[in-house]
PDB file of all heavy atoms in Angstrom:
ATOM      1  N   SER A  45       2.606  15.032 -30.615  1.00 91.00           N
ATOM      2  CA  SER A  45       1.545  14.444 -31.407  1.00 91.00           C
ATOM      3  C   SER A  45       2.001  13.301 -32.335  1.00 91.00           C
ATOM      4  O   SER A  45       1.340  12.358 -32.590  1.00 91.00           O
ATOM      5  CB  SER A  45       0.847  15.503 -32.269  1.00 91.00           C
ATOM      6  OG  SER A  45       1.775  16.117 -33.140  1.00 91.00           O
ATOM      7  N   GLY A  46       3.294  13.368 -32.803  1.00 90.00           N
ATOM      8  CA  GLY A  46       3.783  12.317 -33.670  1.00 90.00           C
ATOM      9  C   GLY A  46       4.616  11.256 -32.947  1.00 90.00           C
ATOM     10  O   GLY A  46       5.311  10.472 -33.568  1.00 90.00           O
ATOM     11  N   PHE A  47       4.510  11.232 -31.635  1.00 93.00           N
ATOM     12  CA  PHE A  47       5.331  10.306 -30.818  1.00 93.00           C
ATOM     13  C   PHE A  47       5.001   8.843 -31.225  1.00 93.00           C
ATOM     14  O   PHE A  47       3.855   8.434 -31.343  1.00 93.00           O
ATOM     15  CB  PHE A  47       5.038  10.485 -29.344  1.00 93.00           C
ATOM     16  CG  PHE A  47       5.970   9.712 -28.421  1.00 93.00           C
ATOM     17  CD1 PHE A  47       7.191  10.147 -28.174  1.00 93.00           C
ATOM     18  CD2 PHE A  47       5.537   8.547 -27.884  1.00 93.00           C
ATOM     19  CE1 PHE A  47       8.061   9.417 -27.377  1.00 93.00           C
ATOM     20  CE2 PHE A  47       6.357   7.778 -27.080  1.00 93.00           C
ATOM     21  CZ  PHE A  47       7.621   8.254 -26.792  1.00 93.00           C
ATOM     22  N   GLN A  48       6.077   8.106 -31.419  1.00 92.00           N
ATOM     23  CA  GLN A  48       5.966   6.688 -31.836  1.00 92.00           C
ATOM     24  C   GLN A  48       6.026   5.743 -30.609  1.00 92.00           C
ATOM     25  O   GLN A  48       7.099   5.425 -30.158  1.00 92.00           O
ATOM     26  CB  GLN A  48       7.049   6.353 -32.856  1.00 92.00           C
ATOM     27  CG  GLN A  48       7.054   7.127 -34.092  1.00 92.00           C
ATOM     28  CD  GLN A  48       5.753   6.809 -34.883  1.00 92.00           C
ATOM     29  OE1 GLN A  48       5.361   5.720 -35.075  1.00 92.00           O
ATOM     30  NE2 GLN A  48       5.111   7.920 -35.384  1.00 92.00           N
ATOM     31  N   PHE A  49       4.872   5.450 -30.092  1.00 92.00           N
ATOM     32  CA  PHE A  49       4.848   4.616 -28.926  1.00 92.00           C
ATOM     33  C   PHE A  49       5.526   3.217 -29.152  1.00 92.00           C
ATOM     34  O   PHE A  49       6.023   2.640 -28.286  1.00 92.00           O
ATOM     35  CB  PHE A  49       3.387   4.396 -28.460  1.00 92.00           C
ATOM     36  CG  PHE A  49       2.751   5.642 -27.938  1.00 92.00           C
ATOM     37  CD1 PHE A  49       1.935   6.360 -28.721  1.00 92.00           C
ATOM     38  CD2 PHE A  49       2.975   6.088 -26.637  1.00 92.00           C
ATOM     39  CE1 PHE A  49       1.328   7.521 -28.248  1.00 92.00           C
ATOM     40  CE2 PHE A  49       2.435   7.259 -26.137  1.00 92.00           C
ATOM     41  CZ  PHE A  49       1.573   7.992 -26.982  1.00 92.00           C
ATOM     42  N   ARG A  50       5.404   2.744 -30.379  1.00 89.00           N
ATOM     43  CA  ARG A  50       6.010   1.417 -30.737  1.00 89.00           C
ATOM     44  C   ARG A  50       7.529   1.387 -30.565  1.00 89.00           C
ATOM     45  O   ARG A  50       8.136   0.333 -30.498  1.00 89.00           O
ATOM     46  CB  ARG A  50       5.592   0.988 -32.154  1.00 89.00           C
ATOM     47  CG  ARG A  50       4.129   0.730 -32.255  1.00 89.00           C
ATOM     48  CD  ARG A  50       3.831  -0.727 -32.183  1.00 89.00           C
ATOM     49  NE  ARG A  50       2.457  -1.009 -32.191  1.00 89.00           N
ATOM     50  CZ  ARG A  50       1.847  -1.793 -31.423  1.00 89.00           C
ATOM     51  NH1 ARG A  50       2.485  -2.535 -30.602  1.00 89.00           N
ATOM     52  NH2 ARG A  50       0.483  -1.978 -31.502  1.00 89.00           N
ATOM     53  N   GLU A  51       8.124   2.622 -30.550  1.00 87.00           N
ATOM     54  CA  GLU A  51       9.587   2.643 -30.406  1.00 87.00           C
ATOM     55  C   GLU A  51      10.052   2.642 -28.970  1.00 87.00           C
ATOM     56  O   GLU A  51      11.249   2.534 -28.700  1.00 87.00           O
ATOM     57  CB  GLU A  51      10.104   3.912 -31.103  1.00 87.00           C
ATOM     58  CG  GLU A  51       9.960   3.774 -32.596  1.00 87.00           C
ATOM     59  CD  GLU A  51      10.471   5.058 -33.363  1.00 87.00           C
ATOM     60  OE1 GLU A  51      11.134   5.902 -32.751  1.00 87.00           O
ATOM     61  OE2 GLU A  51      10.146   5.125 -34.538  1.00 87.00           O
ATOM     62  N   VAL A  52       9.105   2.689 -28.050  1.00 89.00           N
ATOM     63  CA  VAL A  52       9.454   2.620 -26.568  1.00 89.00           C
ATOM     64  C   VAL A  52       9.824   1.142 -26.309  1.00 89.00           C
ATOM     65  O   VAL A  52       9.119   0.231 -26.592  1.00 89.00           O
ATOM     66  CB  VAL A  52       8.276   3.022 -25.693  1.00 89.00           C
ATOM     67  CG1 VAL A  52       8.640   2.885 -24.234  1.00 89.00           C
ATOM     68  CG2 VAL A  52       7.866   4.495 -26.009  1.00 89.00           C
ATOM     69  N   ARG A  53      11.031   0.955 -25.796  1.00 87.00           N
ATOM     70  CA  ARG A  53      11.552  -0.389 -25.557  1.00 87.00           C
ATOM     71  C   ARG A  53      11.107  -0.927 -24.185  1.00 87.00           C
ATOM     72  O   ARG A  53      11.284  -0.239 -23.201  1.00 87.00           O
ATOM     73  CB  ARG A  53      13.052  -0.429 -25.621  1.00 87.00           C
ATOM     74  CG  ARG A  53      13.600   0.030 -26.949  1.00 87.00           C
ATOM     75  CD  ARG A  53      13.515  -1.095 -27.941  1.00 87.00           C
ATOM     76  NE  ARG A  53      14.038  -0.615 -29.207  1.00 87.00           N
ATOM     77  CZ  ARG A  53      13.502  -0.825 -30.375  1.00 87.00           C
ATOM     78  NH1 ARG A  53      12.363  -1.529 -30.402  1.00 87.00           N
ATOM     79  NH2 ARG A  53      14.038  -0.437 -31.482  1.00 87.00           N
ATOM     80  N   GLY A  54      10.557  -2.121 -24.202  1.00 85.00           N
ATOM     81  CA  GLY A  54      10.302  -2.815 -22.917  1.00 85.00           C
ATOM     82  C   GLY A  54       8.860  -3.087 -22.525  1.00 85.00           C
ATOM     83  O   GLY A  54       8.608  -4.141 -21.983  1.00 85.00           O
ATOM     84  N   PRO A  55       7.959  -2.099 -22.707  1.00 79.00           N
ATOM     85  CA  PRO A  55       6.576  -2.419 -22.210  1.00 79.00           C
ATOM     86  C   PRO A  55       5.963  -3.560 -23.002  1.00 79.00           C
ATOM     87  O   PRO A  55       6.301  -3.839 -24.144  1.00 79.00           O
ATOM     88  CB  PRO A  55       5.796  -1.126 -22.472  1.00 79.00           C
ATOM     89  CG  PRO A  55       6.630  -0.189 -23.269  1.00 79.00           C
ATOM     90  CD  PRO A  55       8.014  -0.792 -23.315  1.00 79.00           C
ATOM     91  N   GLY A  56       5.062  -4.199 -22.368  1.00 86.00           N
ATOM     92  CA  GLY A  56       4.378  -5.358 -23.061  1.00 86.00           C
ATOM     93  C   GLY A  56       3.565  -4.897 -24.242  1.00 86.00           C
ATOM     94  O   GLY A  56       3.198  -3.687 -24.397  1.00 86.00           O
ATOM     95  N   ALA A  57       3.147  -5.868 -25.031  1.00 88.00           N
ATOM     96  CA  ALA A  57       2.410  -5.630 -26.228  1.00 88.00           C
ATOM     97  C   ALA A  57       1.086  -4.986 -25.958  1.00 88.00           C
ATOM     98  O   ALA A  57       0.629  -4.110 -26.675  1.00 88.00           O
ATOM     99  CB  ALA A  57       2.222  -6.883 -27.022  1.00 88.00           C
ATOM    100  N   GLU A  58       0.445  -5.394 -24.823  1.00 90.00           N
ATOM    101  CA  GLU A  58      -0.863  -4.821 -24.478  1.00 90.00           C
ATOM    102  C   GLU A  58      -0.745  -3.330 -24.171  1.00 90.00           C
ATOM    103  O   GLU A  58      -1.554  -2.572 -24.657  1.00 90.00           O
ATOM    104  CB  GLU A  58      -1.447  -5.565 -23.275  1.00 90.00           C
ATOM    105  CG  GLU A  58      -2.811  -5.012 -22.866  1.00 90.00           C
ATOM    106  CD  GLU A  58      -3.347  -5.609 -21.544  1.00 90.00           C
ATOM    107  OE1 GLU A  58      -2.702  -6.406 -20.930  1.00 90.00           O
ATOM    108  OE2 GLU A  58      -4.464  -5.194 -21.222  1.00 90.00           O
ATOM    109  N   ALA A  59       0.253  -2.940 -23.395  1.00 93.00           N
ATOM    110  CA  ALA A  59       0.397  -1.556 -23.092  1.00 93.00           C
ATOM    111  C   ALA A  59       0.661  -0.671 -24.334  1.00 93.00           C
ATOM    112  O   ALA A  59       0.129   0.382 -24.526  1.00 93.00           O
ATOM    113  CB  ALA A  59       1.528  -1.324 -22.087  1.00 93.00           C
ATOM    114  N   LEU A  60       1.522  -1.180 -25.190  1.00 92.00           N
ATOM    115  CA  LEU A  60       1.826  -0.475 -26.455  1.00 92.00           C
ATOM    116  C   LEU A  60       0.590  -0.371 -27.313  1.00 92.00           C
ATOM    117  O   LEU A  60       0.329   0.709 -27.884  1.00 92.00           O
ATOM    118  CB  LEU A  60       2.942  -1.147 -27.224  1.00 92.00           C
ATOM    119  CG  LEU A  60       4.353  -1.011 -26.601  1.00 92.00           C
ATOM    120  CD1 LEU A  60       5.332  -1.893 -27.416  1.00 92.00           C
ATOM    121  CD2 LEU A  60       4.764   0.433 -26.581  1.00 92.00           C
ATOM    122  N   GLU A  61      -0.174  -1.379 -27.414  1.00 93.00           N
ATOM    123  CA  GLU A  61      -1.436  -1.347 -28.142  1.00 93.00           C
ATOM    124  C   GLU A  61      -2.381  -0.319 -27.643  1.00 93.00           C
ATOM    125  O   GLU A  61      -2.986   0.469 -28.375  1.00 93.00           O
ATOM    126  CB  GLU A  61      -2.058  -2.770 -28.199  1.00 93.00           C
ATOM    127  CG  GLU A  61      -3.319  -2.817 -28.963  1.00 93.00           C
ATOM    128  CD  GLU A  61      -3.960  -4.206 -28.994  1.00 93.00           C
ATOM    129  OE1 GLU A  61      -3.181  -5.198 -28.993  1.00 93.00           O
ATOM    130  OE2 GLU A  61      -5.155  -4.306 -28.979  1.00 93.00           O
ATOM    131  N   LYS A  62      -2.551  -0.303 -26.343  1.00 94.00           N
ATOM    132  CA  LYS A  62      -3.449   0.697 -25.686  1.00 94.00           C
ATOM    133  C   LYS A  62      -2.987   2.095 -25.956  1.00 94.00           C
ATOM    134  O   LYS A  62      -3.734   2.992 -26.235  1.00 94.00           O
ATOM    135  CB  LYS A  62      -3.557   0.429 -24.169  1.00 94.00           C
ATOM    136  CG  LYS A  62      -3.976  -0.950 -23.776  1.00 94.00           C
ATOM    137  CD  LYS A  62      -5.460  -1.083 -23.941  1.00 94.00           C
ATOM    138  CE  LYS A  62      -5.894  -2.471 -23.415  1.00 94.00           C
ATOM    139  NZ  LYS A  62      -7.254  -2.665 -23.259  1.00 94.00           N
ATOM    140  N   LEU A  63      -1.703   2.357 -25.792  1.00 95.00           N
ATOM    141  CA  LEU A  63      -1.127   3.703 -26.050  1.00 95.00           C
ATOM    142  C   LEU A  63      -1.326   4.092 -27.533  1.00 95.00           C
ATOM    143  O   LEU A  63      -1.672   5.238 -27.807  1.00 95.00           O
ATOM    144  CB  LEU A  63       0.323   3.702 -25.638  1.00 95.00           C
ATOM    145  CG  LEU A  63       0.568   3.626 -24.141  1.00 95.00           C
ATOM    146  CD1 LEU A  63       2.085   3.349 -23.868  1.00 95.00           C
ATOM    147  CD2 LEU A  63       0.170   4.925 -23.456  1.00 95.00           C
ATOM    148  N   GLU A  64      -1.031   3.187 -28.428  1.00 94.00           N
ATOM    149  CA  GLU A  64      -1.132   3.443 -29.851  1.00 94.00           C
ATOM    150  C   GLU A  64      -2.589   3.780 -30.230  1.00 94.00           C
ATOM    151  O   GLU A  64      -2.867   4.685 -30.986  1.00 94.00           O
ATOM    152  CB  GLU A  64      -0.660   2.346 -30.697  1.00 94.00           C
ATOM    153  CG  GLU A  64       0.858   2.239 -30.844  1.00 94.00           C
ATOM    154  CD  GLU A  64       1.434   3.354 -31.790  1.00 94.00           C
ATOM    155  OE1 GLU A  64       0.706   3.848 -32.646  1.00 94.00           O
ATOM    156  OE2 GLU A  64       2.562   3.677 -31.621  1.00 94.00           O
TER     157      GLU A  64
END
Side-chain angles (χ1 to χ4, degrees):
S45 61
F47 187 79
Q48 298 296 315
F49 292 100
R50 294 261 175 223
E51 292 180 11
V52 177
R53 300 283 181 222
E58 180 186 3
L60 288 174
E61 182 180 321
K62 302 282 183 171
L63 290 165
E64 280 288 333

